[in-house]
Every structure is written in C-alpha cells, then in structure tokens.
Amino acid sequence: MASTCSSESSKSLESVVSDNRKKGLWNSLVQNVKEFCKNTTLHGLNYLVNEDLYPLERIYFVLSFISVVVIAGIFISEVYSKWNTTPVIISINPKPTYITNEPFPALTICNMNKAYKAKIQHFQKDSVEYALIQMLCKRRVNVTVANTIDDWSSLNEFISDISQPCEKMIISCWFGGVKYDCLRIFHPIVTDEGLCCAFNLVHPKFLYAEGTQSLIKETYSNHSDMDEAISWNPESGYPKKLPKHFYPRTAAGTGESLGLTVILNAEVDQYNCSSTNSVGFKMAMHNPNERANVREVGLLLAAGYETKARVRMEKLEADQKLHSVDLKYRQCEFQDEHKLNYFATYTESNCEAECIAKTMMRHCRCLPHYMPKRYENETVCSIYDSRCVERIRLHSMINDDNDNEIECDEVCLPSCYDLKFYAEFFSTPLEHGVFVSNNPSLRDMSEEYVEKNIAILNMYYKDNSFHSNKQTEFIGMTDFMSSIGGLIGLFFGFSFISLAEIIFYTLIRPCRKVRRKKSKIISIKQARKINVSKYSPKGMKVRRNYLSPFIVNPYGRRISQNINYYPANMNADLLEINDMDIPTIYKPQYKGRRSLIY
C-alpha cells in the first residue's frame, strides 16, 4: 500500500514537473515574440504588443496587419507565377558579330531539267529506265513495265546518272576574290528537285548521324588536299584551332568582289522535262548543317540574266540560364536536349524532315528517294506509293490540328541557337559583248546561246558586322528577388536588418537561453553532490546552510556566505538526503581539489 501511494505520488510529481516545463517553454516563447515585436524594424508590429493601447485599438492593428499580409501574399504569388510561367524575351545583343567569324551561307543549286537528253536518248520506250524517267517527269507510265520493278533503292543512282553533272552546270566560280576549281567547292547531292550542286555544306560525317545513308556523292577526297572538313553548329561554333583552309568557309569580307560568283549553264537544248513551267535554275540558301528544301522554298535563277543576291544574316543566341526554364515556356531547344535519328545536329528544319519521314513510314510504309535512311525496314517508295507520299507531304505543310495526327510543328521547336540567311535579289539581262570579253571560257558561245543558257549569280554581304538576338529570361532570379524584396519593403518596411532580427529572435536568442538554463541546472546538481559533511574529503570542512549558497573551503578556512539563490523546494530536498545515500552521491573526482566554489 505504501509502495502504491509512493508510486502514485511520484507520477503526480512527474506530471506536475512536465506541466511546469511546458508552461515555462510557452511563457519563454511568448516573451520572445513580444520582445521581437517591440524591438523589430518591421512596421506595425510594436502596436500589437503595446500595453498602453486599448484592446479595441490593438484589435484594429491586428486586423490591419492581417489585411496587409493577405494583399502582399497576392502580389508575391503573382510575381512568382510570372517568374515560373512567363516565356523568354528576345533582346538585341550589344556585342557585334562579325561575318568573318560565321560561315558563309550554304547554297544548293539545281537545274530544273529532270533528265539530260544526251544520257537518255538510247533508252527504249518499253524499258524500265524509260518508265522511271516518265515517273520523274510526272508523265503517264507504262504500268506493265512498272510492275516488273521489284527494288526501287537504286533510284538515287539512276537520277545521278541521267541528270546534268555539276561540271557541266557550273562553268566558273570565284569565292573571296579567288578563282576555284568548281568541283573542289561544289558537291553533288540528291534533293527533292533531283541532282543538285551544294556549296559550303558540312561534310556528310558531320551532317548525318552515324549509320545514316548519305545523299551526297562523296567526291571530297579528290579535291580536298587543301580543304579540311570542320564540325560546326550554331551553338558551339567553330573549333578554337582552325587549319589554314577549311569548310564550311567563312566570308572573306564585304562586297561583290569578296563574295561568291558562279556562272551557270542551263543547256536548254538538253532539256527533256522541267520540274516547273520554265527553264533555268533553282537555288536555296540555308544553314550549312541543314538539308535544303529546294522544291518548296527555292528561288529561280533565270537564264540570260545576272542576279545579285545581297545577303543578310540573322543569328539567334540563348542565355545558358534558360536550361532551367520549362520547355513549354522557353519554346526553344538546345543541342543536348533533342537528339535526332538521321541528322547529327538539331535544327528545326532537320527535325521537321525527320518528323515527316516518320509519318510517311507510319502511313505509307516507305520513304521517298530524297530522304535519308538508316534502318533496314525503310524502303524507297515506288510509283504506287506516290499518292500517299504527296498526301503526307502536303498535310505536313497545312498543319491541320483537327485530326489526331501529331503535327511536326508541335514536335520540332526552334533551336535556341540558330543562324538564318536572307537575301535581296536584283536581276538584269546579260550584255553579251562585254561579258564574253571578261570570261574566256565563254568566247566560243554565240550571243543567242548566252541569252538562252547562261545565268550568273553574285552573293555577297553588304555589312561587315551585325547584331545578333539573344534570348533571356523575362524575369530572372535577380529580378524576382528585387520584386519580392520591393513588395515586402513596401508593405512591411522589410530589409536585411529585419532578416537579421528574425534570425536573432528565432535561433540565436532561444539557443542562448537554453544554454544558460542548462548551466544553472548543472551548477545546482553539483552543489547537491558536495553538500555533505560526513563524507567530505579529508582535510575539508563543509558548513551546511540550506538558507544560503555556500563555499567549500579546505583546511578549515571560513566559509563565505552570499545571497540565497535556492528556492524552498530545493532546500527541502537537501534536508531529506539520507546518510545511507551519501556514498552513492559522492563522487571521487572531487579528491585533491583545494577549493570548490559554487
């Protein structure tokens, strides 16, 4: 029974102690908040704890403070939503870009003649070759003969064999004031307009992804003893160390004399059929690591005319901080974010070409002959697949959002780094006499032949430098912090000193109070252990005085008395110490100490 009563009393004592601790912690927290409100530099908080005000007045300031907090929260949430959802902004880069640091535009030139008469005149009308020519010219094809064609994969080779070769199409060429062997700087490539000649295009190993079949006839090795192929893209640019002669080439300077000049021969008498309703050439300027879309965006070069193209360049750059902006708000892609299957470099044009190819494979189960191929199941479309191919091609340009098909413009976003070329065209008829005297290679041509067959193209820059456009965040981290700080300062008078006050009253001051309280508790516990005379160390005399603190002096010295810091309950506990418990309380670490002061 006695044990039960003692256990119940001990439990009640523990509950009382825990309640006292909780009350003490709560009172300490409330006192800390009051001191913060009284001493902080934030506006209005001192009214909340001002005891000189009436309760109604204090309630008024409480409601005012809550209203200000709500309004400030609305403004801050608005700024935060703009920071996370506002698209990027394009600004003009103040640093100029020089044309000698960027590649000259790539140029793809095609003769609109689909079949060279001298190369096809020996084909019989009932032959497979004749049926293929009729198909390329979009004429009626002998179905019986077409049914005998099992493999259409050699169509590109056939087109190359029956088309006008580049050495006959390009008579003379100059670049940067230097006359070149045209086969050295122009390379044959199969496009949607047939066999064309490309200038300043990157090498196939840098244009296509590994494993993709190249559409370029790789004659580079025969004429590249002085020109080294360089990897280039708009994002990384040229390598730091460049050889003396390389391609894609940069502009040598401004003006027609340092641009590109090409003399073309249409050989109209060799026309079998034209891809358009006229004779002459089609040309397309494009990025050096893009494939040209000559059929849809090509410009005409009329025979018997000299055409001057004054080139203008537009460069788009991006801040690297845009990597952290969500793609749907940024609306552009970096090179490392979208890897293409057929092309080595991501551009919007290359991505769209690949997207169209995948759509054709999904619906037509084949690819046109002018598209790159990489996988074994990608076969060349036959004449019977031409309607499906044309339907998909036209649909890709319409971008109809009403069907269930994923549109290529949704899949292919613009590049964050891009280089585009535009030109102003001026044409004038050729004057035969002066022209022949300045070009020895044309002296054997008659005036009538020049007017019908010869076309001249001059491409050049007008300005030596230009300003590029740079994409940056509409609201960056600095702008976001400035806006938030301005709003908080406007509503509360917040500053960095206020932040220091908050840290002091929430972290530093409570920690100091806890440490001070712990040190007092340790002192009291040690005092309890030493307040025993019977078992005091030898040579030490302890004077008991439960009403005042004490000092234990060795060798019988007088004990000084000070003000009593101990509460009554602690003195009672000290009086109840049993002598039988003293050996367990006493610790031997006090031996040998000359004085213990508490």
Side-chain angles (χ1 to χ4, degrees):
M1 184 70 180
S3 61
T4 305
C5 293
S6 62
S7 61
E8 291 179 356
S9 61
S10 62
K11 289 181 180 179
S12 62
L13 181 60
E14 290 178 357
S15 62
V16 170
V17 172
S18 62
D19 292 340
N20 291 335
R21 287 181 178 177
K22 290 180 181 179
K23 290 180 180 179
L25 181 62
W26 174 254
N27 293 333
S28 177
L29 180 61
V30 171
Q31 185 64 25
N32 201 35
V33 172
K34 287 183 177 180
E35 291 182 6
F36 170 74
C37 294
K38 288 179 180 179
N39 301 320
T40 184
T41 56
L42 293 176
H43 300 325
L45 290 181
N46 58 329
Y47 296 110
L48 305 182
V49 294
N50 191 347
E51 297 179 356
D52 296 334
L53 298 177
Y54 290 105
L56 186 61
E57 294 174 334
R58 296 170 67 180
I59 292 174
Y60 166 77
F61 281 108
V62 169
L63 295 177
S64 301
F65 187 79
I66 293 174
S67 303
V68 171
V69 170
V70 172
I71 297 172
I74 295 173
F75 278 96
I76 291 173
S77 63
E78 184 71 18
V79 174
Y80 180 78
S81 63
K82 285 186 178 181
W83 182 50
N84 284 274
T85 61
T86 304
V88 297
I89 187 172
I90 299 178
S91 60
I92 297 178
N93 193 347
K95 185 178 180 181
T97 302
Y98 295 96
I99 60 173
T100 53
N101 296 329
E102 302 295 336
F104 198 81
L107 177 66
T108 302
I109 304 177
C110 310
N111 194 329
M112 287 185 283
N113 182 17
K114 286 290 188 180
Y116 200 72
K117 274 187 178 180
K119 292 186 176 184
I120 65 170
Q121 58 186 0
H122 61 282
F123 294 142
Q124 301 296 325
K125 290 186 178 181
D126 57 349
S127 64
V128 173
E129 290 81 6
Y130 186 83
L132 293 176
I133 293 171
Q134 294 293 96
M135 182 191 71
L136 294 174
C137 292
K138 297 181 180 179
R139 297 171 180 170
R140 182 175 295 179
V141 180
N142 190 333
V143 179
T144 305
V145 177
N147 289 334
T148 62
I149 305 175
D150 297 328
D151 185 14
W152 294 79
S153 60
S154 59
L155 186 58
N156 281 343
E157 296 181 5
F158 179 76
I159 292 174
S160 300
D161 292 337
I162 66 170
S163 300
Q164 182 191 31
C166 290
E167 56 266 25
K168 287 185 172 293
M169 184 173 69
I170 305 174
I171 300 175
S172 300
C173 51
W174 291 263
F175 180 71
V178 179
K179 186 174 182 179
Y180 281 88
D181 177 5
C182 296
L183 291 181
R184 176 179 166 185
I185 60 176
F186 281 89
H187 307 288
I189 179 174
V190 178
T191 69
D192 49 3
E193 277 293 312
L195 183 68
C196 305
C197 304
F199 166 76
N200 217 34
L201 197 65
V202 297
H203 193 276
K205 65 181 179 182
F206 301 125
L207 178 62
Y208 299 108
E210 186 177 355
T212 304
Q213 298 178 11
S214 173
L215 297 175
I216 305 174
K217 283 199 168 184
E218 299 187 22
T219 58
Y220 293 82
S221 57
N222 298 330
H223 302 278
S224 61
D225 52 333
M226 293 181 63
D227 302 320
E228 183 176 342
I230 296 297
S231 175
W232 175 89
N233 63 70
E235 185 169 338
S236 58
Y238 282 104
K240 293 183 179 180
K241 293 183 179 180
L242 291 172
K244 185 177 181 181
H245 301 282
F246 60 90
Y247 68 93
R249 298 166 177 84
T250 61
T254 58
E256 183 178 334
S257 299
L258 296 179
L260 174 67
T261 300
V262 182
I263 301 177
L264 305 171
N265 188 359
E267 293 186 297
V268 177
D269 57 335
Q270 297 294 330
Y271 264 58
N272 179 67
C273 63
S274 175
S275 60
T276 63
N277 299 319
S278 59
V279 297
F281 306 91
K282 262 189 176 183
M283 59 157 286
M285 291 188 307
H286 53 93
N287 197 313
N289 50 19
E290 287 182 348
R291 100 181 164 87
N293 186 10
V294 185
R295 180 177 180 180
E296 297 298 334
V297 300
L299 299 172
L300 291 178
L301 294 175
Y305 284 81
E306 180 178 12
T307 303
K308 297 184 183 296
R310 196 161 58 194
V311 181
R312 176 173 55 88
M313 185 191 307
E314 283 189 2
K315 185 177 181 181
L316 182 64
E317 299 176 293
D319 196 332
Q320 290 298 321
K321 294 179 181 178
L322 291 182
H323 271 290
S324 59
V325 178
D326 194 276
L327 188 61
K328 65 180 179 180
Y329 303 121
R330 188 201 321 155
Q331 289 297 305
C332 72
E333 292 191 278
F334 290 91
Q335 287 293 327
D336 56 353
E337 292 181 325
H338 195 152
K339 186 177 181 181
L340 301 178
N341 294 327
Y342 300 112
F343 298 95
T345 303
Y346 177 84
T347 65
E348 187 177 11
S349 177
N350 289 344
C351 180
E352 289 176 351
E354 188 169 298
C355 177
I356 295 172
K358 291 179 180 179
T359 307
M360 288 182 178
M361 278 298 300
R362 188 163 54 252
H363 293 278
C364 307
R365 308 297 182 193
C366 62
L367 290 178
H369 65 90
Y370 54 83
M371 285 191 171
K373 300 164 188 66
R374 181 176 181 179
Y375 305 103
E376 294 181 357
N377 63 334
E378 295 174 340
T379 58
V380 178
C381 294
S382 65
I383 187 174
Y384 304 105
D385 302 314
S386 59
R387 289 186 178 180
C388 178
V389 170
E390 190 67 10
R391 177 174 59 84
I392 298 299
R393 190 184 69 84
L394 294 177
H395 180 271
S396 66
M397 294 186 292
I398 296 174
N399 291 330
D400 185 10
D401 295 332
N402 296 325
D403 55 6
N404 296 325
E405 190 72 29
I406 298 177
E407 305 299 335
C408 291
D409 62 341
E410 300 175 1
V411 178
C412 302
L413 296 176
S415 303
C416 292
Y417 287 81
D418 200 3
L419 195 64
K420 293 184 178 180
F421 301 94
Y422 305 93
E424 300 174 355
F425 284 84
F426 309 92
S427 297
T428 183
L430 290 174
E431 201 286 315
H432 178 255
V434 178
F435 177 67
V436 170
S437 63
N438 292 334
N439 296 276
S441 58
L442 303 178
R443 288 176 182 174
D444 297 334
M445 299 179 183
S446 64
E447 183 175 350
E448 182 181 1
Y449 185 89
V450 171
E451 290 177 355
K452 289 184 178 181
N453 295 274
I454 302 302
I456 301 177
L457 173 65
N458 297 292
M459 287 179 57
Y460 58 92
Y461 284 109
K462 176 185 176 183
D463 300 314
N464 189 42
S465 63
F466 63 97
H467 288 280
S468 61
N469 296 324
K470 188 171 184 179
Q471 300 181 98
T472 57
E473 292 177 301
F474 183 75
I475 299 179
M477 177 59 72
T478 304
D479 299 326
F480 174 72
M481 295 300 295
S482 300
S483 300
I484 296 297
L487 288 173
I488 297 177
L490 176 64
F491 286 100
F492 307 108
F494 184 86
S495 65
F496 281 107
I497 298 299
S498 305
L499 180 62
E501 291 172 351
I502 294 174
I503 295 174
F504 175 77
Y505 281 100
T506 56
L507 297 176
I508 300 176
R509 191 181 182 99
C511 291
R512 288 185 60 193
K513 285 187 175 181
V514 170
R515 291 184 61 185
R516 188 179 300 171
K517 189 173 181 180
K518 285 184 178 180
S519 62
K520 287 183 179 180
I521 294 173
I522 293 173
S523 301
I524 294 170
K525 288 183 178 179
Q526 291 178 350
R528 290 181 182 178
K529 295 175 183 179
I530 301 303
N531 194 13
V532 180
S533 61
K534 182 177 180 181
Y535 290 90
S536 297
K538 186 177 181 180
M540 297 181 64
K541 292 184 179 181
V542 180
R543 178 182 177 183
R544 294 195 181 189
N545 186 352
Y546 300 108
L547 299 178
S548 64
F550 54 87
I551 299 175
V552 180
N553 291 328
Y555 309 111
R557 294 182 182 178
R558 187 173 181 179
I559 301 174
S560 62
Q561 296 189 8
N562 296 314
I563 301 173
N564 181 19
Y565 290 99
Y566 299 102
N569 58 351
M570 184 174 293
N571 295 332
D573 292 339
L574 290 175
L575 291 172
E576 292 176 1
I577 295 176
N578 195 329
D579 288 344
M580 297 301 295
D581 298 328
I582 291 176
T584 60
I585 298 175
Y586 170 70
K587 300 293 183 180
Q589 62 263 29
Y590 299 108
K591 290 183 178 181
R593 296 191 180 180
R594 298 180 61 88
S595 64
L596 298 174
I597 303 175
Y598 293 91

